[in-house]
Amino acid sequence: MRSLNIEFSNNLVRVLQLNKSKEIILNEEIELGFNIDDVNYIKKNKKEAVSIFSEKFSELNLNETNTEENACVLLNTSQSFLNVIPVDFNEEKNNIDSHILWDLSNYFPDTYKDYIIKYYRLNNNYLNEKIDEVLLIAVDKNRVDVIKNLCNGIGFKIVNIDIDQFAVEKCLKENYSGEFTEQNILLIGFKDSRIDFSLISKGKIRYYDFQNPGKANFKILIEKQIEFLTSVFSEIKIEQAFIYGTEKSINVQNFINEELKIFPATIINPSKINSSEVSQSRYAPLYGLALKNFS
């Protein structure tokens, strides 16, 4: 079995394929021809968008023996709604679900029912012994429908959709299993307009946050985030940082390794070949997604 995995990001499409040995046989990036986040344009110009996507997708050098009809899709964190909220888990599940839905409705009062919602208990209890935090993940159904229509238009059925910051954990578990399962690590997704942070303790996510840097110095944002985690989660000593994202991720690695010098930082390479090649880290979430759906 081969696994086809597609990432939509602004006007780019990335595609990654694995073979049965979990080896990457294809990782390519092409310009989409329109912005995937412009949902109104795509819905109004459905046929044109599908035609453009089909033409662009045909430029990819897919394996000639490929017979898949299914594909998995990766979204980046900016294409979803993520929030961490306190929850009293002594309450009934219906009350917890209502509380989470109420939180989403505060941000999207008119459209909160149009979201696909998942949440994960973080088991940190740093606010109160009876109060835990929950990571709320919500994706607009309209965005999902747009992506499904594009993929259906070229003969692919979407079987799974995931978010890059969480899909990349599977890549860590596969290629850095010792660190992922035995250490406390800080996962940093470094992108042009967003920095995502996950605190992962022995394979379990315990905290999540993000920053939109704008004109702010990324060094200040990262240092403040580390200071917060160190003070709040004093029992979880960070032993390693892993980074993925744009080629500028090297600046984050250098800052942590050469200036902060608190713990080592590594740029994630999905293939573990040419590990110094920073550009490969942008494919790490796609590789994680592929592994999640590998059988």
Side-chain angles (χ1 to χ4, degrees), residues 270-288:
S271 66
K272 296 208 77 174
I273 299 173
N274 299 324
S275 58
S276 62
E277 190 175 351
V278 178
S279 63
Q280 289 300 304
S281 78
R282 70 184 188 274
Y283 289 101
L286 267 178
Y287 184 59

Side-chain angles (χ1 to χ4, degrees), residues 77-78 165 186-198 208-214 216-223 225 243-244 252:
T77 49
S78 64
Q165 183 74 3
L186 177 62
L187 174 61
I188 302 175
F190 192 76
K191 305 149 197 178
D192 289 332
S193 58
R194 184 178 175 119
I195 309 174
D196 292 279
F197 302 91
S198 296
Y208 168 81
D209 196 8
F210 72 93
Q211 298 284 345
N212 297 119
N217 188 321
F218 77 87
K219 294 181 180 181
I220 295 174
L221 298 179
I222 290 175
E223 188 169 15
Q225 189 70 65
I243 310 158
Y244 74 93
V252 179

Side-chain angles (χ1 to χ4, degrees), residues 37 64 70 101 129 148 154 174 208 228 257 260 276 285:
D37 295 326
E64 292 182 359
N70 295 337
L101 195 61
E129 288 184 1
K148 283 183 176 179
I154 60 172
E174 179 76 14
Y208 168 81
F228 171 80
N257 285 340
L260 291 183
S276 62

Side-chain angles (χ1 to χ4, degrees), residues 43 62 102 108 135 138 154 196 213 215 226 234 238 246 250:
K43 293 179 77 172
L62 293 178
W102 174 82
F108 305 100
L135 171 59
I154 60 172
D196 292 279
K215 296 181 179 179
I226 292 173
S234 56
I238 300 173
T246 70
I250 189 65

